[in-house]
Amino acid sequence: MAVTAIVFNAGQEEYAIPVQFVISIEKYESVNPVPHLPDYISGVVKSRGELIPVLDLGFILYNRHIQYDTEVRMIVIQTEELSFALLVNEAKEILEIPENALQQMGLIAYHKTKYFSSIANLDQRIITMIDPVSMLEVLEGVKEIKDYLNEQKQKA
């Protein structure tokens, strides 16, 4: 069974997230900064009437903020626990990845990259698959953000 995924760039590499997690792909618009959040969080945006945090994938992966240009996109992701936007250099395509092209990674056990679920080994490309649920479990400070957003929902 093939996996349908959104392929995007962060740095020079290609990454993908299974399409079932993706709500939308949006142009980068102004993000409202929030003081004292972890460095990988650019701030919050309103998406579909909901405030969601914007996570800078360039900073998460390479410790360098994504430089904003016309290609930068926000991939809005929905998990059971949290909706968030992932800031990426460029959203490239929707791709059907054959199951036999997906290989488990040897580095997958490394605690900081548990969210790399597999590697798509295609003819001329290598695409790292990201599990957004695992990403939220690994990133420091996400629990506090989830708690805060839940508090805000209850007040509304």
Side-chain angles (χ1 to χ4, degrees), residues 17 21-24 45 47 50-57 60 74-79 81-87 130-136 139 142 145 149:
I17 288 182
F21 292 106
V22 178
I23 296 172
S24 64
V45 293
S47 176
E50 186 180 352
L51 279 181
I52 61 170
V54 177
L55 282 57
D56 184 330
L57 191 62
I60 292 169
M74 294 187 300
I75 300 175
V76 180
I77 296 170
Q78 172 81 49
T79 68
E81 291 191 21
L82 182 69
S83 293
F84 63 96
L86 203 55
L87 201 58
I130 293 177
D131 175 355
V133 174
S134 297
M135 177 178 270
L136 292 178
L139 293 175
V142 169
I145 292 161
L149 292 171

Side-chain angles (χ1 to χ4, degrees), residues 4-8 15-19 22 25 75 91-95:
T4 304
I6 304 290
V7 178
F8 52 89
Y15 297 90
I17 288 182
V19 77
V22 178
I25 299 171
I75 300 175
K92 297 177 76 170
E93 62 189 306
I94 298 173
L95 187 64

